[in-house]
Amino acid sequence: MAEAYELPLLLFAGFRALIDELHAELARRGHPDVRPAYGFAMQAIGPRGASASEIGRRLGVSKQAAGKTVDRLAALGYVERVDDPADARRKLIRLTPRGIDSLTQSAEIFEILRTRWVAKLGAGRVETIESSLRAVVPGPNYPVDVPGWFGILAG
Amino acid sequence: MAEAYELPLLLFAGFRALIDELHAELARRGHPDVRPAYGFAMQAIGPRGASASEIGRRLGVSKQAAGKTVDRLAALGYVERVDDPADARRKLIRLTPRGIDSLTQSAEIFEILRTRWVAKLGAGRVETIESSLRAVVPGPNYPVDVPGWFGILAG
DNA sequence: ACGGTTTGGACAACCACGTTGTCGATTCTA
DNA sequence: TAGAATCGACAACGTGGTTGTCCAAACCGT
């Protein structure tokens, strides 16, 4: 008899556990100041680069918010701003080699973490979690404006 | 063949979907300005009340952060501060009837949402998700300082 | 080819939520 | 009873969001 209120807490705890372990390992591998928000942003930039406005749209946040995150990412050397020769308004945000490395490492670490879950739970249960969640969540493009969302909502 | 990076996203999307639906329904039921953070805080206060410092400890945040949340909760009429007759330093934070109502309604809504998942996935799969997550997450007292955590970490 | 509309990026002000550090007042304890 | 711990308040700050404004550049219909 599970209490219904536990379900969201367990989902969050699972998410948080994975993200915490990811960043602990990322820190060990030379990326101590990557934060969860940065990972999502770099994911949104992608290997081909993107403008700040595009990043905002992909992340579900305003272009200003995306721009600020890019500032921090640039200060840490994970991305660089390049003038777009085809459009003088745009500044293309590109991952630096360091940025690409953090993404590559993250992918590796996620593999390891999932493997660890499979070892504990069995492949079947992990696949059940994945396919079940895919069936109940609205869509694949869920915005990741976590802090703002948690605070605001229902306004 | 699931990509490993999907697992955390799916967990988060599941969490977020539940919380979003909770607050949409809460708004319909007369609590339009309860935010996710407030629900956690009121949960931490509990029916017997608590001091700001206690709330902070239960939530895994500083007493100052807890105090600020209490301010907002008090401004909305969900809690009240009462002088503790047994300890002149303490101010007891107590849920008002409105606060209690929001918690009661939340519990009801979580039941409904879980039932909806059971209808879609079957009771077995939902129970698999719950028991599996219980097995892989560190402990039951996971801190819920979501916004701060998302931003900071690995500092 | 020109003029109105979009768009991109920068800047400012603001809010929510967290953090440390400090402080006076009270309570606990050795 | 003196020293240590705790409570709540206040201030300053950081991070991640939001609007609104603004200009320059690009787009598009006439």
Side-chain angles (χ1 to χ4, degrees), chain B residues 100-150:
Chain B
I100 294 170
D101 182 63
S102 80
L103 244 31
T104 310
Q105 305 256 24
S106 293
E108 267 182 50
I109 297 166
F110 275 135
E111 294 285 347
I112 293 169
L113 295 177
R114 187 177 183 279
T115 303
R116 211 176 287 167
W117 281 35
V118 168
K120 256 190 233 173
L121 304 173
R125 282 203 188 82
V126 175
E127 281 160 28
T128 296
I129 293 175
E130 288 167 337
S131 63
S132 300
L133 289 174
R134 256 191 290 269
V136 289
V137 305
N141 289 341
Y142 232 56
V144 281
D145 57 331
V146 182
W149 160 76
F150 196 73

mmCIF file of all heavy atoms in Angstrom, chain B residues 100-150:
data_model
loop_
_atom_site.group_PDB
_atom_site.id
_atom_site.type_symbol
_atom_site.label_atom_id
_atom_site.label_comp_id
_atom_site.label_asym_id
_atom_site.label_seq_id
_atom_site.Cartn_x
_atom_site.Cartn_y
_atom_site.Cartn_z
ATOM 1 N N ILE B 100 -4.365 24.007 6.283
ATOM 2 C CA ILE B 100 -4.737 22.605 6.456
ATOM 3 C C ILE B 100 -5.568 22.128 5.282
ATOM 4 O O ILE B 100 -5.375 21.035 4.755
ATOM 5 C CB ILE B 100 -5.485 22.422 7.788
ATOM 6 C CG1 ILE B 100 -4.521 22.708 8.957
ATOM 7 C CG2 ILE B 100 -6.064 21.016 7.899
ATOM 8 C CD1 ILE B 100 -5.207 22.783 10.305
ATOM 9 N N ASP B 101 -6.479 22.985 4.840
ATOM 10 C CA ASP B 101 -7.320 22.623 3.703
ATOM 11 C C ASP B 101 -6.478 22.335 2.468
ATOM 12 O O ASP B 101 -6.715 21.364 1.750
ATOM 13 C CB ASP B 101 -8.316 23.754 3.404
ATOM 14 C CG ASP B 101 -9.241 23.387 2.252
ATOM 15 O OD1 ASP B 101 -9.999 22.413 2.401
ATOM 16 O OD2 ASP B 101 -9.185 24.054 1.194
ATOM 17 N N SER B 102 -5.467 23.168 2.212
ATOM 18 C CA SER B 102 -4.662 22.949 1.011
ATOM 19 C C SER B 102 -3.928 21.610 1.080
ATOM 20 O O SER B 102 -3.756 20.928 0.080
ATOM 21 C CB SER B 102 -3.672 24.095 0.819
ATOM 22 O OG SER B 102 -2.546 23.938 1.654
ATOM 23 N N LEU B 103 -3.523 21.241 2.281
ATOM 24 C CA LEU B 103 -2.832 19.963 2.447
ATOM 25 C C LEU B 103 -3.788 18.782 2.269
ATOM 26 O O LEU B 103 -3.450 17.786 1.612
ATOM 27 C CB LEU B 103 -2.192 19.926 3.848
ATOM 28 C CG LEU B 103 -0.663 19.861 3.950
ATOM 29 C CD1 LEU B 103 0.036 20.553 2.810
ATOM 30 C CD2 LEU B 103 -0.186 20.404 5.288
ATOM 31 N N THR B 104 -4.969 18.922 2.828
ATOM 32 C CA THR B 104 -5.972 17.862 2.673
ATOM 33 C C THR B 104 -6.326 17.657 1.205
ATOM 34 O O THR B 104 -6.365 16.533 0.700
ATOM 35 C CB THR B 104 -7.255 18.248 3.449
ATOM 36 O OG1 THR B 104 -6.897 18.625 4.779
ATOM 37 C CG2 THR B 104 -8.231 17.092 3.482
ATOM 38 N N GLN B 105 -6.549 18.782 0.519
ATOM 39 C CA GLN B 105 -6.885 18.706 -0.900
ATOM 40 C C GLN B 105 -5.733 18.097 -1.693
ATOM 41 O O GLN B 105 -5.947 17.296 -2.595
ATOM 42 C CB GLN B 105 -7.145 20.115 -1.449
ATOM 43 C CG GLN B 105 -8.195 20.864 -0.673
ATOM 44 C CD GLN B 105 -9.514 20.919 -1.414
ATOM 45 O OE1 GLN B 105 -9.809 20.081 -2.268
ATOM 46 N NE2 GLN B 105 -10.310 21.909 -1.073
ATOM 47 N N SER B 106 -4.509 18.477 -1.343
ATOM 48 C CA SER B 106 -3.357 17.933 -2.063
ATOM 49 C C SER B 106 -3.307 16.419 -1.943
ATOM 50 O O SER B 106 -3.053 15.718 -2.924
ATOM 51 C CB SER B 106 -2.061 18.530 -1.503
ATOM 52 O OG SER B 106 -1.992 19.909 -1.781
ATOM 53 N N ALA B 107 -3.554 15.927 -0.742
ATOM 54 C CA ALA B 107 -3.527 14.474 -0.536
ATOM 55 C C ALA B 107 -4.571 13.796 -1.411
ATOM 56 O O ALA B 107 -4.300 12.791 -2.080
ATOM 57 C CB ALA B 107 -3.758 14.155 0.937
ATOM 58 N N GLU B 108 -5.775 14.384 -1.450
ATOM 59 C CA GLU B 108 -6.842 13.838 -2.293
ATOM 60 C C GLU B 108 -6.430 13.812 -3.752
ATOM 61 O O GLU B 108 -6.649 12.838 -4.469
ATOM 62 C CB GLU B 108 -8.078 14.729 -2.182
ATOM 63 C CG GLU B 108 -9.082 14.318 -1.128
ATOM 64 C CD GLU B 108 -10.286 15.257 -1.161
ATOM 65 O OE1 GLU B 108 -10.875 15.502 -2.253
ATOM 66 O OE2 GLU B 108 -10.611 15.768 -0.085
ATOM 67 N N ILE B 109 -5.850 14.935 -4.195
ATOM 68 C CA ILE B 109 -5.500 15.054 -5.613
ATOM 69 C C ILE B 109 -4.396 14.060 -5.981
ATOM 70 O O ILE B 109 -4.427 13.441 -7.044
ATOM 71 C CB ILE B 109 -5.077 16.505 -5.941
ATOM 72 C CG1 ILE B 109 -6.263 17.450 -5.712
ATOM 73 C CG2 ILE B 109 -4.577 16.621 -7.375
ATOM 74 C CD1 ILE B 109 -5.903 18.927 -5.672
ATOM 75 N N PHE B 110 -3.430 13.883 -5.093
ATOM 76 C CA PHE B 110 -2.371 12.903 -5.366
ATOM 77 C C PHE B 110 -2.968 11.496 -5.514
ATOM 78 O O PHE B 110 -2.507 10.707 -6.352
ATOM 79 C CB PHE B 110 -1.316 12.923 -4.257
ATOM 80 C CG PHE B 110 -0.248 13.956 -4.448
ATOM 81 C CD1 PHE B 110 0.165 14.757 -3.381
ATOM 82 C CD2 PHE B 110 0.369 14.148 -5.681
ATOM 83 C CE1 PHE B 110 1.170 15.727 -3.553
ATOM 84 C CE2 PHE B 110 1.367 15.109 -5.859
ATOM 85 C CZ PHE B 110 1.760 15.897 -4.791
ATOM 86 N N GLU B 111 -3.985 11.194 -4.708
ATOM 87 C CA GLU B 111 -4.658 9.898 -4.850
ATOM 88 C C GLU B 111 -5.244 9.765 -6.255
ATOM 89 O O GLU B 111 -5.095 8.738 -6.918
ATOM 90 C CB GLU B 111 -5.813 9.775 -3.842
ATOM 91 C CG GLU B 111 -5.403 9.731 -2.379
ATOM 92 C CD GLU B 111 -4.803 8.392 -1.980
ATOM 93 O OE1 GLU B 111 -4.928 7.417 -2.755
ATOM 94 O OE2 GLU B 111 -4.176 8.339 -0.893
ATOM 95 N N ILE B 112 -5.921 10.831 -6.672
ATOM 96 C CA ILE B 112 -6.556 10.805 -7.991
ATOM 97 C C ILE B 112 -5.518 10.629 -9.089
ATOM 98 O O ILE B 112 -5.696 9.834 -10.015
ATOM 99 C CB ILE B 112 -7.361 12.105 -8.215
ATOM 100 C CG1 ILE B 112 -8.544 12.155 -7.246
ATOM 101 C CG2 ILE B 112 -7.825 12.216 -9.663
ATOM 102 C CD1 ILE B 112 -9.258 13.492 -7.195
ATOM 103 N N LEU B 113 -4.418 11.373 -8.967
ATOM 104 C CA LEU B 113 -3.399 11.309 -10.014
ATOM 105 C C LEU B 113 -2.766 9.933 -10.073
ATOM 106 O O LEU B 113 -2.524 9.392 -11.157
ATOM 107 C CB LEU B 113 -2.326 12.380 -9.762
ATOM 108 C CG LEU B 113 -2.819 13.822 -9.867
ATOM 109 C CD1 LEU B 113 -1.693 14.795 -9.518
ATOM 110 C CD2 LEU B 113 -3.346 14.112 -11.272
ATOM 111 N N ARG B 114 -2.502 9.349 -8.909
ATOM 112 C CA ARG B 114 -1.918 8.013 -8.902
ATOM 113 C C ARG B 114 -2.898 7.011 -9.519
ATOM 114 O O ARG B 114 -2.508 6.126 -10.292
ATOM 115 C CB ARG B 114 -1.545 7.585 -7.485
ATOM 116 C CG ARG B 114 -0.772 6.258 -7.458
ATOM 117 C CD ARG B 114 -0.343 5.892 -6.045
ATOM 118 N NE ARG B 114 0.457 4.665 -6.022
ATOM 119 C CZ ARG B 114 -0.058 3.450 -6.060
ATOM 120 N NH1 ARG B 114 -1.367 3.289 -6.157
ATOM 121 N NH2 ARG B 114 0.741 2.395 -6.039
ATOM 122 N N THR B 115 -4.173 7.171 -9.178
ATOM 123 C CA THR B 115 -5.195 6.289 -9.747
ATOM 124 C C THR B 115 -5.198 6.389 -11.273
ATOM 125 O O THR B 115 -5.368 5.395 -11.977
ATOM 126 C CB THR B 115 -6.582 6.665 -9.194
ATOM 127 O OG1 THR B 115 -6.549 6.581 -7.774
ATOM 128 C CG2 THR B 115 -7.657 5.750 -9.738
ATOM 129 N N ARG B 116 -4.976 7.609 -11.743
ATOM 130 C CA ARG B 116 -4.944 7.817 -13.188
ATOM 131 C C ARG B 116 -3.760 7.067 -13.813
ATOM 132 O O ARG B 116 -3.877 6.482 -14.895
ATOM 133 C CB ARG B 116 -4.841 9.317 -13.461
ATOM 134 C CG ARG B 116 -5.507 9.752 -14.724
ATOM 135 C CD ARG B 116 -5.459 11.255 -14.893
ATOM 136 N NE ARG B 116 -6.367 11.968 -13.992
ATOM 137 C CZ ARG B 116 -6.315 13.293 -13.793
ATOM 138 N NH1 ARG B 116 -5.408 14.021 -14.406
ATOM 139 N NH2 ARG B 116 -7.171 13.884 -12.985
ATOM 140 N N TRP B 117 -2.629 7.096 -13.146
ATOM 141 C CA TRP B 117 -1.465 6.352 -13.637
ATOM 142 C C TRP B 117 -1.763 4.853 -13.626
ATOM 143 O O TRP B 117 -1.392 4.136 -14.551
ATOM 144 C CB TRP B 117 -0.222 6.650 -12.779
ATOM 145 C CG TRP B 117 0.442 7.953 -13.104
ATOM 146 C CD1 TRP B 117 -0.153 9.114 -13.488
ATOM 147 C CD2 TRP B 117 1.850 8.220 -13.080
ATOM 148 N NE1 TRP B 117 0.789 10.098 -13.685
ATOM 149 C CE2 TRP B 117 2.026 9.585 -13.447
ATOM 150 C CE3 TRP B 117 2.989 7.456 -12.767
ATOM 151 C CZ2 TRP B 117 3.284 10.195 -13.523
ATOM 152 C CZ3 TRP B 117 4.244 8.065 -12.839
ATOM 153 C CH2 TRP B 117 4.390 9.414 -13.219
ATOM 154 N N VAL B 118 -2.413 4.398 -12.557
ATOM 155 C CA VAL B 118 -2.744 2.974 -12.471
ATOM 156 C C VAL B 118 -3.669 2.579 -13.616
ATOM 157 O O VAL B 118 -3.511 1.512 -14.218
ATOM 158 C CB VAL B 118 -3.386 2.652 -11.090
ATOM 159 C CG1 VAL B 118 -4.008 1.256 -11.097
ATOM 160 C CG2 VAL B 118 -2.341 2.764 -9.975
ATOM 161 N N ALA B 119 -4.593 3.468 -13.940
ATOM 162 C CA ALA B 119 -5.524 3.161 -15.033
ATOM 163 C C ALA B 119 -4.779 3.046 -16.363
ATOM 164 O O ALA B 119 -5.106 2.220 -17.210
ATOM 165 C CB ALA B 119 -6.591 4.253 -15.123
ATOM 166 N N LYS B 120 -3.761 3.867 -16.536
ATOM 167 C CA LYS B 120 -3.027 3.852 -17.803
ATOM 168 C C LYS B 120 -2.013 2.727 -17.873
ATOM 169 O O LYS B 120 -1.808 2.117 -18.932
ATOM 170 C CB LYS B 120 -2.290 5.189 -17.981
ATOM 171 C CG LYS B 120 -2.971 6.126 -18.979
ATOM 172 C CD LYS B 120 -2.066 7.315 -19.286
ATOM 173 C CE LYS B 120 -2.814 8.618 -19.072
ATOM 174 N NZ LYS B 120 -1.993 9.822 -19.182
ATOM 175 N N LEU B 121 -1.335 2.487 -16.749
ATOM 176 C CA LEU B 121 -0.180 1.591 -16.769
ATOM 177 C C LEU B 121 -0.459 0.232 -16.134
ATOM 178 O O LEU B 121 0.277 -0.722 -16.380
ATOM 179 C CB LEU B 121 0.988 2.237 -16.006
ATOM 180 C CG LEU B 121 1.450 3.621 -16.476
ATOM 181 C CD1 LEU B 121 2.479 4.177 -15.514
ATOM 182 C CD2 LEU B 121 2.019 3.548 -17.885
ATOM 183 N N GLY B 122 -1.479 0.178 -15.305
ATOM 184 C CA GLY B 122 -1.698 -1.021 -14.501
ATOM 185 C C GLY B 122 -1.044 -0.852 -13.143
ATOM 186 O O GLY B 122 0.009 -0.215 -13.025
ATOM 187 N N ALA B 123 -1.668 -1.437 -12.134
ATOM 188 C CA ALA B 123 -1.162 -1.275 -10.762
ATOM 189 C C ALA B 123 0.249 -1.830 -10.630
ATOM 190 O O ALA B 123 1.088 -1.267 -9.924
ATOM 191 C CB ALA B 123 -2.098 -1.975 -9.776
ATOM 192 N N GLY B 124 0.515 -2.904 -11.335
ATOM 193 C CA GLY B 124 1.824 -3.538 -11.209
ATOM 194 C C GLY B 124 2.955 -2.630 -11.625
ATOM 195 O O GLY B 124 3.964 -2.521 -10.914
ATOM 196 N N ARG B 125 2.777 -1.949 -12.748
ATOM 197 C CA ARG B 125 3.867 -1.099 -13.218
ATOM 198 C C ARG B 125 4.094 0.072 -12.279
ATOM 199 O O ARG B 125 5.228 0.455 -12.012
ATOM 200 C CB ARG B 125 3.568 -0.574 -14.627
ATOM 201 C CG ARG B 125 3.827 -1.624 -15.700
ATOM 202 C CD ARG B 125 4.070 -0.993 -17.067
ATOM 203 N NE ARG B 125 4.115 -2.044 -18.087
ATOM 204 C CZ ARG B 125 3.050 -2.587 -18.644
ATOM 205 N NH1 ARG B 125 1.842 -2.184 -18.287
ATOM 206 N NH2 ARG B 125 3.181 -3.528 -19.552
ATOM 207 N N VAL B 126 3.014 0.667 -11.781
ATOM 208 C CA VAL B 126 3.178 1.786 -10.856
ATOM 209 C C VAL B 126 3.907 1.311 -9.596
ATOM 210 O O VAL B 126 4.807 1.988 -9.091
ATOM 211 C CB VAL B 126 1.817 2.424 -10.509
ATOM 212 C CG1 VAL B 126 1.986 3.506 -9.446
ATOM 213 C CG2 VAL B 126 1.170 3.012 -11.757
ATOM 214 N N GLU B 127 3.530 0.146 -9.130
ATOM 215 C CA GLU B 127 4.209 -0.379 -7.932
ATOM 216 C C GLU B 127 5.666 -0.713 -8.229
ATOM 217 O O GLU B 127 6.534 -0.546 -7.365
ATOM 218 C CB GLU B 127 3.469 -1.618 -7.407
ATOM 219 C CG GLU B 127 2.216 -1.235 -6.613
ATOM 220 C CD GLU B 127 1.214 -2.382 -6.504
ATOM 221 O OE1 GLU B 127 1.640 -3.561 -6.548
ATOM 222 O OE2 GLU B 127 -0.004 -2.095 -6.396
ATOM 223 N N THR B 128 5.933 -1.163 -9.417
ATOM 224 C CA THR B 128 7.332 -1.417 -9.798
ATOM 225 C C THR B 128 8.141 -0.124 -9.771
ATOM 226 O O THR B 128 9.267 -0.092 -9.259
ATOM 227 C CB THR B 128 7.403 -2.038 -11.206
ATOM 228 O OG1 THR B 128 6.756 -3.305 -11.183
ATOM 229 C CG2 THR B 128 8.843 -2.207 -11.657
ATOM 230 N N ILE B 129 7.549 0.925 -10.320
ATOM 231 C CA ILE B 129 8.247 2.214 -10.287
ATOM 232 C C ILE B 129 8.550 2.610 -8.852
ATOM 233 O O ILE B 129 9.676 2.962 -8.495
ATOM 234 C CB ILE B 129 7.392 3.312 -10.979
ATOM 235 C CG1 ILE B 129 7.266 3.030 -12.472
ATOM 236 C CG2 ILE B 129 7.992 4.695 -10.743
ATOM 237 C CD1 ILE B 129 6.332 3.989 -13.207
ATOM 238 N N GLU B 130 7.535 2.514 -7.995
ATOM 239 C CA GLU B 130 7.708 2.949 -6.607
ATOM 240 C C GLU B 130 8.741 2.105 -5.867
ATOM 241 O O GLU B 130 9.650 2.642 -5.216
ATOM 242 C CB GLU B 130 6.359 2.902 -5.875
ATOM 243 C CG GLU B 130 5.411 4.001 -6.330
ATOM 244 C CD GLU B 130 3.974 3.791 -5.869
ATOM 245 O OE1 GLU B 130 3.604 2.622 -5.576
ATOM 246 O OE2 GLU B 130 3.223 4.762 -5.817
ATOM 247 N N SER B 131 8.622 0.801 -5.981
ATOM 248 C CA SER B 131 9.548 -0.029 -5.197
ATOM 249 C C SER B 131 10.960 0.052 -5.764
ATOM 250 O O SER B 131 11.947 0.041 -5.018
ATOM 251 C CB SER B 131 9.063 -1.477 -5.159
ATOM 252 O OG SER B 131 9.053 -2.008 -6.464
ATOM 253 N N SER B 132 11.076 0.185 -7.078
ATOM 254 C CA SER B 132 12.404 0.296 -7.679
ATOM 255 C C SER B 132 13.089 1.575 -7.229
ATOM 256 O O SER B 132 14.264 1.568 -6.851
ATOM 257 C CB SER B 132 12.297 0.297 -9.204
ATOM 258 O OG SER B 132 11.696 -0.898 -9.656
ATOM 259 N N LEU B 133 12.354 2.667 -7.271
ATOM 260 C CA LEU B 133 12.957 3.935 -6.889
ATOM 261 C C LEU B 133 13.334 3.928 -5.416
ATOM 262 O O LEU B 133 14.384 4.424 -5.021
ATOM 263 C CB LEU B 133 12.002 5.090 -7.202
ATOM 264 C CG LEU B 133 11.833 5.393 -8.696
ATOM 265 C CD1 LEU B 133 10.763 6.451 -8.928
ATOM 266 C CD2 LEU B 133 13.161 5.842 -9.310
ATOM 267 N N ARG B 134 12.470 3.332 -4.604
ATOM 268 C CA ARG B 134 12.816 3.249 -3.182
ATOM 269 C C ARG B 134 14.147 2.531 -2.991
ATOM 270 O O ARG B 134 14.913 2.845 -2.086
ATOM 271 C CB ARG B 134 11.718 2.507 -2.411
ATOM 272 C CG ARG B 134 10.830 3.426 -1.590
ATOM 273 C CD ARG B 134 9.944 2.630 -0.645
ATOM 274 N NE ARG B 134 8.918 1.900 -1.376
ATOM 275 C CZ ARG B 134 7.700 2.380 -1.636
ATOM 276 N NH1 ARG B 134 7.369 3.583 -1.220
ATOM 277 N NH2 ARG B 134 6.824 1.667 -2.303
ATOM 278 N N ALA B 135 14.415 1.571 -3.859
ATOM 279 C CA ALA B 135 15.639 0.776 -3.716
ATOM 280 C C ALA B 135 16.888 1.530 -4.176
ATOM 281 O O ALA B 135 17.982 1.272 -3.692
ATOM 282 C CB ALA B 135 15.514 -0.524 -4.508
ATOM 283 N N VAL B 136 16.746 2.459 -5.093
ATOM 284 C CA VAL B 136 17.945 3.134 -5.618
ATOM 285 C C VAL B 136 18.197 4.528 -5.063
ATOM 286 O O VAL B 136 19.301 5.042 -5.181
ATOM 287 C CB VAL B 136 17.938 3.216 -7.163
ATOM 288 C CG1 VAL B 136 18.160 1.855 -7.772
ATOM 289 C CG2 VAL B 136 16.654 3.839 -7.664
ATOM 290 N N VAL B 137 17.168 5.147 -4.472
ATOM 291 C CA VAL B 137 17.427 6.485 -3.943
ATOM 292 C C VAL B 137 18.041 6.368 -2.553
ATOM 293 O O VAL B 137 17.749 5.425 -1.826
ATOM 294 C CB VAL B 137 16.158 7.369 -3.925
ATOM 295 C CG1 VAL B 137 15.540 7.428 -5.300
ATOM 296 C CG2 VAL B 137 15.176 6.913 -2.889
ATOM 297 N N PRO B 138 18.910 7.316 -2.240
ATOM 298 C CA PRO B 138 19.685 7.243 -0.999
ATOM 299 C C PRO B 138 18.847 7.058 0.264
ATOM 300 O O PRO B 138 19.048 6.118 1.009
ATOM 301 C CB PRO B 138 20.428 8.575 -0.973
ATOM 302 C CG PRO B 138 20.542 8.960 -2.401
ATOM 303 C CD PRO B 138 19.284 8.463 -3.046
ATOM 304 N N GLY B 139 17.929 7.954 0.518
ATOM 305 C CA GLY B 139 17.166 7.829 1.754
ATOM 306 C C GLY B 139 15.852 8.531 1.630
ATOM 307 O O GLY B 139 15.574 9.163 0.617
ATOM 308 N N PRO B 140 15.032 8.444 2.648
ATOM 309 C CA PRO B 140 13.715 9.053 2.552
ATOM 310 C C PRO B 140 13.748 10.554 2.800
ATOM 311 O O PRO B 140 12.852 11.265 2.414
ATOM 312 C CB PRO B 140 12.923 8.353 3.658
ATOM 313 C CG PRO B 140 13.953 7.935 4.672
ATOM 314 C CD PRO B 140 15.276 7.835 3.969
ATOM 315 N N ASN B 141 14.816 11.052 3.407
ATOM 316 C CA ASN B 141 14.865 12.464 3.779
ATOM 317 C C ASN B 141 15.623 13.311 2.761
ATOM 318 O O ASN B 141 16.529 14.046 3.110
ATOM 319 C CB ASN B 141 15.490 12.625 5.160
ATOM 320 C CG ASN B 141 14.564 12.117 6.241
ATOM 321 O OD1 ASN B 141 13.365 11.983 6.031
ATOM 322 N ND2 ASN B 141 15.123 11.820 7.390
ATOM 323 N N TYR B 142 15.230 13.157 1.520
ATOM 324 C CA TYR B 142 15.936 13.911 0.510
ATOM 325 C C TYR B 142 15.580 15.376 0.620
ATOM 326 O O TYR B 142 14.425 15.738 0.668
ATOM 327 C CB TYR B 142 15.574 13.360 -0.865
ATOM 328 C CG TYR B 142 16.790 13.027 -1.664
ATOM 329 C CD1 TYR B 142 17.729 12.155 -1.147
ATOM 330 C CD2 TYR B 142 17.026 13.610 -2.896
ATOM 331 C CE1 TYR B 142 18.871 11.865 -1.857
ATOM 332 C CE2 TYR B 142 18.164 13.312 -3.617
ATOM 333 C CZ TYR B 142 19.081 12.442 -3.096
ATOM 334 O OH TYR B 142 20.213 12.164 -3.794
ATOM 335 N N PRO B 143 16.570 16.263 0.644
ATOM 336 C CA PRO B 143 16.254 17.677 0.767
ATOM 337 C C PRO B 143 15.481 18.176 -0.441
ATOM 338 O O PRO B 143 15.623 17.653 -1.544
ATOM 339 C CB PRO B 143 17.619 18.357 0.856
ATOM 340 C CG PRO B 143 18.602 17.357 0.398
ATOM 341 C CD PRO B 143 18.009 16.018 0.601
ATOM 342 N N VAL B 144 14.659 19.174 -0.237
ATOM 343 C CA VAL B 144 13.805 19.670 -1.308
ATOM 344 C C VAL B 144 14.095 21.132 -1.624
ATOM 345 O O VAL B 144 13.200 21.894 -1.922
ATOM 346 C CB VAL B 144 12.318 19.510 -0.951
ATOM 347 C CG1 VAL B 144 11.885 18.095 -1.164
ATOM 348 C CG2 VAL B 144 12.056 19.934 0.481
ATOM 349 N N ASP B 145 15.357 21.483 -1.562
ATOM 350 C CA ASP B 145 15.750 22.846 -1.896
ATOM 351 C C ASP B 145 15.959 22.953 -3.396
ATOM 352 O O ASP B 145 17.002 23.357 -3.873
ATOM 353 C CB ASP B 145 17.033 23.216 -1.158
ATOM 354 C CG ASP B 145 18.173 22.248 -1.468
ATOM 355 O OD1 ASP B 145 17.872 21.076 -1.750
ATOM 356 O OD2 ASP B 145 19.337 22.668 -1.428
ATOM 357 N N VAL B 146 14.907 22.599 -4.130
ATOM 358 C CA VAL B 146 15.028 22.431 -5.569
ATOM 359 C C VAL B 146 15.731 23.575 -6.299
ATOM 360 O O VAL B 146 16.729 23.350 -6.975
ATOM 361 C CB VAL B 146 13.664 22.156 -6.205
ATOM 362 C CG1 VAL B 146 13.791 21.933 -7.699
ATOM 363 C CG2 VAL B 146 13.039 20.931 -5.557
ATOM 364 N N PRO B 147 15.248 24.800 -6.199
ATOM 365 C CA PRO B 147 15.851 25.848 -7.023
ATOM 366 C C PRO B 147 17.323 26.043 -6.694
ATOM 367 O O PRO B 147 18.177 26.078 -7.568
ATOM 368 C CB PRO B 147 15.031 27.093 -6.676
ATOM 369 C CG PRO B 147 13.762 26.582 -6.063
ATOM 370 C CD PRO B 147 14.140 25.308 -5.373
ATOM 371 N N GLY B 148 17.624 26.175 -5.427
ATOM 372 C CA GLY B 148 19.011 26.372 -5.038
ATOM 373 C C GLY B 148 19.893 25.226 -5.462
ATOM 374 O O GLY B 148 20.979 25.423 -6.012
ATOM 375 N N TRP B 149 19.385 24.030 -5.271
ATOM 376 C CA TRP B 149 20.161 22.852 -5.638
ATOM 377 C C TRP B 149 20.484 22.842 -7.125
ATOM 378 O O TRP B 149 21.613 22.603 -7.540
ATOM 379 C CB TRP B 149 19.378 21.584 -5.284
ATOM 380 C CG TRP B 149 19.855 20.390 -6.042
ATOM 381 C CD1 TRP B 149 20.980 19.659 -5.815
ATOM 382 C CD2 TRP B 149 19.208 19.793 -7.175
ATOM 383 N NE1 TRP B 149 21.078 18.659 -6.734
ATOM 384 C CE2 TRP B 149 20.019 18.706 -7.581
ATOM 385 C CE3 TRP B 149 18.043 20.059 -7.875
ATOM 386 C CZ2 TRP B 149 19.674 17.902 -8.666
ATOM 387 C CZ3 TRP B 149 17.720 19.254 -8.950
ATOM 388 C CH2 TRP B 149 18.532 18.198 -9.323
ATOM 389 N N PHE B 150 19.486 23.141 -7.912
ATOM 390 C CA PHE B 150 19.662 23.100 -9.352
ATOM 391 C C PHE B 150 20.745 24.085 -9.788
ATOM 392 O O PHE B 150 21.551 23.790 -10.664
ATOM 393 C CB PHE B 150 18.345 23.452 -10.036
ATOM 394 C CG PHE B 150 18.310 23.081 -11.490
ATOM 395 C CD1 PHE B 150 18.209 21.756 -11.873
ATOM 396 C CD2 PHE B 150 18.363 24.050 -12.477
ATOM 397 C CE1 PHE B 150 18.164 21.406 -13.209
ATOM 398 C CE2 PHE B 150 18.323 23.701 -13.820
ATOM 399 C CZ PHE B 150 18.223 22.384 -14.184
#
